[in-house]
Amino acid sequence: EKGLEEIPLKALKAEEEQRLGGPSEMSHIEKGLRQIARLDELLVSRESEATKKLQKAEAEHRAAKARLDQENEEIERHKAELLEKLRQKGLLKASSSQQGA
């Protein structure tokens, strides 16, 4: 009795055990709560890993897009140079090159 009065946590636990039908029921609840806590930790860990993978994939996507955009600009610039050379040689009319550009 005196221990229960001095430590409110023990009193609350004893009261809860009585309410739930004894220590065995309480131990099942505690076991379930511990399992939930472990699963929560696992979920947080996996979410963190997935977020890191997603951020890495997004960075790779941006880098690939930038590289492809630059390649496209170079191709368009080269195409314009070739069309201009053909126009200068008279092999291409000015109006047809404007349609392709």
Side-chain angles (χ1 to χ4, degrees):
E1 284 293 320
K2 188 175 181 182
L4 293 178
E5 291 174 8
E6 292 176 0
I7 304 172
L9 182 61
K10 284 186 179 181
L12 290 174
K13 189 172 181 179
E15 182 182 309
E16 192 69 16
E17 284 178 0
Q18 277 184 334
R19 190 175 64 79
L20 293 174
S24 63
E25 183 70 25
M26 189 63 175
S27 64
H28 290 298
I29 290 172
E30 288 174 347
K31 183 179 178 182
L33 291 174
R34 284 192 303 272
Q35 185 175 12
I36 289 170
R38 283 193 308 269
L39 291 172
D40 283 345
E41 290 172 7
L42 181 61
L43 179 61
V44 167
S45 172
R46 291 201 176 165
E47 284 177 344
S48 175
E49 290 173 15
T51 299
K52 288 176 186 177
K53 287 180 182 179
L54 179 61
Q55 289 171 344
K56 181 181 177 185
E58 287 173 341
E60 289 172 354
H61 175 262
R62 284 191 301 272
K65 184 179 182 321
R67 189 187 82 249
L68 291 172
D69 287 344
Q70 183 179 3
E71 287 178 11
N72 185 50
E73 289 174 13
E74 291 173 12
I75 289 170
E76 288 298 320
R77 198 170 26 254
H78 183 67
K79 176 182 162 185
E81 290 171 2
L82 290 176
L83 290 173
E84 181 59 32
K85 287 180 183 178
L86 289 173
R87 257 189 258 121
Q88 288 175 357
K89 290 183 179 181
L91 299 174
L92 188 64
K93 293 182 183 178
S95 62
S96 65
S97 67
Q98 291 173 355
Q99 290 174 356

